[in-house]
């Protein structure tokens, strides 16, 4: 069975600090996809990134970066120089091969960035 | 207009009432899903459908039923609502032709059962 663990329930940082959100996953599939979604206070779910299991290169998008390590089954998300607008709940998710298994989500990490 | 539309967006009802949450999509996707979100529990899958004739139970299907009326429509019903079904409900779609399983979400339906 697939499982995603986000051990950090809530994180609070001061604006401009860097923050890393942890995600650890379990799967027996050799091919799978990992995702991060953001849920701002308004409630909608915003797609941030998709990464397939064959691509272990880190990815950077502006202040956001993702570190995928197959050896530790982790897909961590770092926000550099955090801003108040980054305050949200962040979900990590996992899908199986060919998308035939619905996404399994972690319980989410609530990030509060204080001005 | 949103690609995935949920109605109603907010609903308050009483214990024992029948409630239907509707979802329609214009993305042309074959696959549709209903997830439930509770604080601290993340998103949990209720039901999913890979095509019009296919319905599958998810992790927490008890107390819910679904209907896939057309490729574009997927409704979730609570036959007799109870207070612990108070939650934020999300409909989502995904593309059969995409191997990633990436989901496209509606804006959510907040249900309160008194």
């Amino acid at each position: 069975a697939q499982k995603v663990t986000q051990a950090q329930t809530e994180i609070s940082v001061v604006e401009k600090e860097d923050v890393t959100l942890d995600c650890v996953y379990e799967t027996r599939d050799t091919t799978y996809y990992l995702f991060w979604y953001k849920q701002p206070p308004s409630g909608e779910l915003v797609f941030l990134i998709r990464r397939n299991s064959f691509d272990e290169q880190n990815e950077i998008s502006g202040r956001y970066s993702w570190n995928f390590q197959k050896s530790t089954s982790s897909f961590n998300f770092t926000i550099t120089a955090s801003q108040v607008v980054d305050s949200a709940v962040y979900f990590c998710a996992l899908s199986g091969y060919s998308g035939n298994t619905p996404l399994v989500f972690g319980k989410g990490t609530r990030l509060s960035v204080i001005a | 207009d949103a690609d995935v539309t949920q109605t109603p967006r907010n609903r308050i009802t009483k214990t024992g009432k029948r409630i239907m949450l509707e979802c329609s999509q214009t993305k042309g996707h074959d696959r549709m899903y209903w997830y439930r979100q509770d604080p601290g529990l993340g998103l949990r899958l209720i039901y999913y459908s890979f095509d019009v004739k296919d319905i599958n139970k998810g992790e927490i299907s008890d107390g819910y039923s679904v209907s896939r009326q057309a490729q574009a429509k997927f409704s979730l019903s609570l036959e007799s609502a109870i207070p612990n079904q108070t939650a934020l409900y999300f409909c989502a779609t995904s593309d059969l032709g995409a191997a990633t399983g990436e989901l496209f979400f509606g804006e959510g339906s907040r249900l309160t059962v008194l």
Side-chain angles (χ1 to χ4, degrees):
Chain A
Q2 298 182 314
K3 184 178 179 181
V4 175
T5 301
Q6 294 180 256
Q8 303 150 310
T9 305
E10 296 190 29
I11 300 175
S12 183
V13 299
V14 177
E15 201 170 23
K16 298 184 183 177
E17 287 184 349
D18 298 347
V19 58
T20 296
L21 309 183
D22 297 332
C23 173
V24 174
Y25 63 91
E26 297 175 28
T27 181
R28 293 182 179 179
D29 292 337
T30 55
T31 302
Y32 50 88
Y33 293 87
L34 294 159
F35 301 81
W36 277 94
Y37 284 85
K38 173 183 179 180
Q39 186 178 43
S42 51
E44 74 273 21
L45 288 160
V46 179
F47 168 83
L48 294 179
I49 190 172
R50 172 186 65 246
R51 173 53 51 89
N52 75 55
S53 54
F54 293 116
D55 184 1
E56 290 195 64
Q57 283 191 347
N58 291 335
E59 181 156 343
I60 299 174
S61 176
R63 296 184 297 106
Y64 294 172
S65 63
W66 290 269
N67 183 298
F68 175 35
Q69 292 195 342
K70 234 173 166 176
S71 61
T72 56
S73 297
S74 65
F75 186 44
N76 296 337
F77 172 31
T78 296
I79 301 174
T80 302
S82 59
Q83 299 177 1
V84 173
V85 293
D86 296 326
S87 296
V89 180
Y90 292 86
F91 293 100
C92 181
L94 168 70
S95 77
Y97 180 66
S98 294
N100 287 330
T101 304
L103 258 65
V104 173
F105 286 82
K107 294 183 178 181
T109 297
R110 179 178 298 277
L111 173 65
S112 298
V113 181
I114 303 166
Chain B
D1 289 340
D3 293 326
V4 183
T5 303
Q6 294 183 227
T7 56
R9 294 290 312 281
N10 289 283
R11 181 73 182 268
I12 300 173
T13 191
K14 295 182 178 180
T15 297
K17 294 292 188 180
R18 183 176 187 274
I19 295 297
M20 179 180 288
L21 305 180
E22 298 184 333
C23 178
S24 62
Q25 53 114 347
T26 59
K27 298 191 73 66
H29 289 169
D30 289 300
R31 299 178 173 187
M32 299 187 73
Y33 310 79
W34 278 103
Y35 284 86
R36 166 179 171 161
Q37 182 183 4
D38 298 276
L41 295 180
L43 281 84
R44 294 180 292 167
L45 183 64
I46 307 172
Y47 272 96
Y48 63 103
S49 169
F50 280 179
D51 64 44
V52 175
K53 298 180 181 179
D54 176 73
I55 300 290
N56 303 281
K57 292 183 177 181
E59 178 187 354
I60 54 165
S61 59
D62 286 349
Y64 301 94
S65 62
V66 292
S67 172
R68 185 80 185 268
Q69 302 95 320
Q71 186 204 38
K73 295 183 181 297
F74 192 38
S75 300
L76 176 71
S77 293
L78 289 67
E79 295 301 324
S80 179
I82 56 177
N84 77 359
Q85 291 178 313
T86 293
L88 181 59
Y89 291 85
F90 285 100
C91 175
T93 72
S94 68
D95 183 4
L96 173 64
T100 66
E102 178 180 344
L103 295 178
F104 297 83
F105 285 94
E107 294 174 315
S109 295
R110 187 169 297 280
L111 176 65
T112 302
V113 184
L114 302 175

